[in-house]
Amino acid sequence: MKLAFFGGIYNNYLALEAAIADARRRDAQDLFCLGDMGAFGPFPDRVFPLLLEAGVHCVQGNYDESIGNELPDCQCGYTDPRDNHFARLSYDYTLEHTSPDNRRWLQRLPGAIDCDREGLRLHLCHGSPRRTNEFLWESTTSDAFLDRLIDETGADLVLGTHTGLHWQRRTGQGRTFVNVGVLGRPANDGRTSVWYTLLQIQRGGRFSVEFVPVQYDHRRLAREMQQEGLPAEFVETIESGWWTTCLEVLPSRERRRGRH
Amino acid sequence: MIEASAAAFVELHGLDELWFQVAGTRCNLSCSHCFISCSPHNDLFGFLSLDDVRSVLVESIEWGVREYYFTGGEPFLNPDLVEMLVTALGYGPVTVLTNATVLKDEWLLRLRAAEEQGPFSLEYRVSIDGPDPQTNDPIRGEGTFERAIRGVEQLVRHGALPIITMARTWPDHRDDEVLGRFRDVLRQHGCNRPRLKILPRLKLGAEVERTEGYADWERVSPGMLEGFDSTQLICSHSRTVTDRGIFVCPILVDQPGAWMGESLAETDRPFPLEHGACMTCYQYGAICTNPSSQFHGQAGETDRGEGGR
Ligand code: SF4
Ligand code: SF4
Ligand SMILES: [Fe+2]
């Protein structure tokens, strides 16, 4: 069977629409979203009908917890003043443009989902199994640490998002972590496509992971962001594929791969 | 008085970061704010050996350690440091805290190659205490600004993106201005992606002579921990290995009561926040941790739901 995992929508309803269609075309039986519906892009309310219509099972991200409970900030945990400045702009915009009904829906999402497919035990979370807003970067996460985190969930496979960059690792102990990537903005690789993850599970629990690039109408998104008065820096990322903000939380390996 | 006698205890939530005080209290500089009073002559703590580091790395696996920090003194004074860093990169991400005044090209070449061999980051954290010699040199010594900037240029030439850390010796409200100026200076020196981190002063060690120590009232009381997210404190997720045993955190190594044991297992117990410096951590959070590993705000432990039938 095939399962599709989306992460970090960041209001990018155009990419979500394209990813849902792509996953259906590839016969994904179930669709999941690991949270952070809002941020960055335009028109937050356009994401929700798509998720509901497609029956996407959703986990609550830090952004969703914040918007749902009208907290003062997004809890992304930036430490740099410039990063925080931009985080504030998109948070205020998203909070203001998310309807009360959608906020209530976000508020009620589960912080994690445990499920079993073909004997494979899955744990779906947002940041890490122990903390919604913990960054698990590829270059700052040891195997021993992954083993500890995954062990505590009792699962074989843990999936998360939150950092914006997709990666996977199977530890020496045979446990697997997958960061499913985000649909909200490109992966800081100079390409305009965004990424989601397909998990193929065979009977007996053997599985394979595929990262899938999604092309969508990014020009339209960029136009709408401009019309909504969102920062030019955000628009540049959508058009160029390079991150221009939230850079100070990147470890050096991930930072070096980008342009800024 | 009752309040003052009861200490607030912090448990080890998980051993996420392991610190190695590889150079002990030995440093080629003698900064006037150094919170463990390092200098060329301070032998209170000695060098760790490569074997010491190796055996703790092995021990660290069962604790699920996420990343390793190497500090001193000046770590690069330890002749085995490069070998230690290369070895540690086989286990996980590594950060080395240096004053960048004694770096050698051959070391940096070897370290870059070792980093490229595996998936983990090697971070260099360079201490420079302000954007100009006028701010830095009175604290760190005559000519040290120039020397450290040369070190930064050297690191950049070897493809590193150093994180510059500075101890705040100016009023908080001037942070933005200082950061802005420092970014410009670093760009002028070829560092076009400056990463900066401001640290609060720790009123310990040499800093006590330079300015002042903690007042008696600067203590974390048990009441203050109610509703406080203690995972913000370094002592809730790390320990520090020295040649004299394992200590609670990198800040208190030369303070009474901070020694916790000889093996990691012995240090898995709550620690009382009896020190003035604990107040600084309480106010500023995990000050010693890299930005990529910090988490702030209240987004908490996840509650599990059942979904995805
Ligand atoms: S602050 Fe750093 S560079 Fe200065 S004396 Fe202490 S250990 Fe050495
Ligand atoms: S100084 Fe900071 S890290 Fe060390 S014991 Fe006190 S609160 Fe914990
Ligand atoms: Fe997130």
Side-chain angles (χ1 to χ4, degrees), chain A residues 36 62 126 162:
Chain A
D36 281 0
N62 54 292
H126 178 71
H162 184 56

Side-chain angles (χ1 to χ4, degrees), chain B residues 27 29-31 33-34 38 72-74 99 140:
Chain B
C27 188
L29 305 182
S30 341
C31 305
H33 70 343
C34 185
C38 296
E74 170 50 49
N99 59 37
R140 305 186 68 81

Side-chain angles (χ1 to χ4, degrees), chain B residues 20-240:
Chain B
F20 291 100
Q21 218 208 10
V22 272
T25 39
R26 201 77 72 75
C27 188
N28 57 318
L29 305 182
S30 341
C31 305
S32 62
H33 70 343
C34 185
F35 61 86
I36 45 175
S37 316
C38 296
S39 77
H41 316 292
N42 187 345
D43 291 328
L44 187 57
F45 288 85
F47 289 177
L48 285 175
S49 72
L50 184 55
D51 277 345
D52 294 337
V53 171
R54 275 208 188 103
S55 70
V56 180
L57 284 171
V58 171
E59 192 188 356
S60 78
I61 291 183
E62 64 176 294
W63 291 86
V65 170
R66 183 186 63 212
E67 55 180 327
Y68 304 95
Y69 289 80
F70 288 77
T71 187
E74 170 50 49
F76 282 95
L77 295 187
N78 186 321
D80 290 322
L81 181 77
V82 174
E83 195 60 42
M84 291 168 176
L85 298 179
V86 169
T87 308
L89 277 168
Y91 288 78
V94 173
T95 298
V96 58
L97 284 68
T98 176
N99 59 37
T101 61
V102 296
L103 302 175
K104 289 204 178 117
D105 285 328
E106 61 200 75
W107 299 341
L108 301 183
L109 272 174
R110 169 135 195 257
L111 290 170
R112 182 65 197 263
E115 190 190 20
E116 296 292 328
Q117 292 275 304
F120 304 119
S121 275
L122 170 61
E123 299 281 5
Y124 294 92
R125 281 204 348 216
V126 177
S127 318
I128 307 179
D129 287 323
D132 47 48
Q134 292 81 337
T135 320
N136 176 83
D137 288 8
I139 300 162
R140 305 186 68 81
E142 198 54 38
T144 52
F145 180 80
E146 255 333 283
R147 286 169 65 196
I149 287 288
R150 296 286 158 263
V152 169
E153 290 175 344
Q154 200 177 2
L155 285 164
V156 170
R157 272 202 306 280
H158 286 275
L161 293 175
I163 300 173
I164 314 296
T165 60
M166 51 201 133
R168 185 189 285 114
T169 53
W170 50 84
D172 292 21
H173 67 84
R174 284 193 46 217
D175 280 359
D176 283 353
E177 170 207 332
V178 172
L179 287 170
R181 270 172 52 216
F182 215 152
R183 262 189 213 105
D184 291 343
V185 169
L186 288 164
R187 285 207 184 87
Q188 282 158 24
H189 290 276
C191 185
N192 50 23
R193 291 192 260 184
R195 303 160 85 200
L196 295 166
K197 181 175 158 85
I198 297 178
L199 303 172
R201 278 180 313 127
L202 291 161
K203 297 186 280 181
L204 295 173
E207 176 69 8
V208 177
E209 307 296 312
R210 194 184 75 93
T211 55
E212 57 184 358
Y214 289 96
D216 289 343
W217 56 266
E218 291 180 282
R219 293 293 182 278
V220 179
S221 67
M224 287 164 68
L225 285 189
E226 270 166 42
F228 177 79
D229 175 10
S230 63
T231 62
Q232 300 290 320
L233 304 173
I234 310 156
C235 50
S236 79
H237 46 80
S238 83
R239 292 292 182 254
T240 299

Side-chain angles (χ1 to χ4, degrees), chain A residues 34 38-39 51 76 121 180 183 207 226-228 233:
Chain A
L34 305 188
L51 291 173
C76 287
R121 291 162 305 175
V180 303
L183 292 174
F207 65 92
Q226 273 158 349
Q227 282 158 11
E228 285 297 282
E233 287 81 354

Side-chain angles (χ1 to χ4, degrees), chain B residues 233-235 248-249 251-252 271 273 277-278 281:
Chain B
L233 304 173
I234 310 156
C235 50
V248 62
C249 68
I251 297 168
L252 296 178
F271 184 82
L273 304 187
C278 301
C281 295

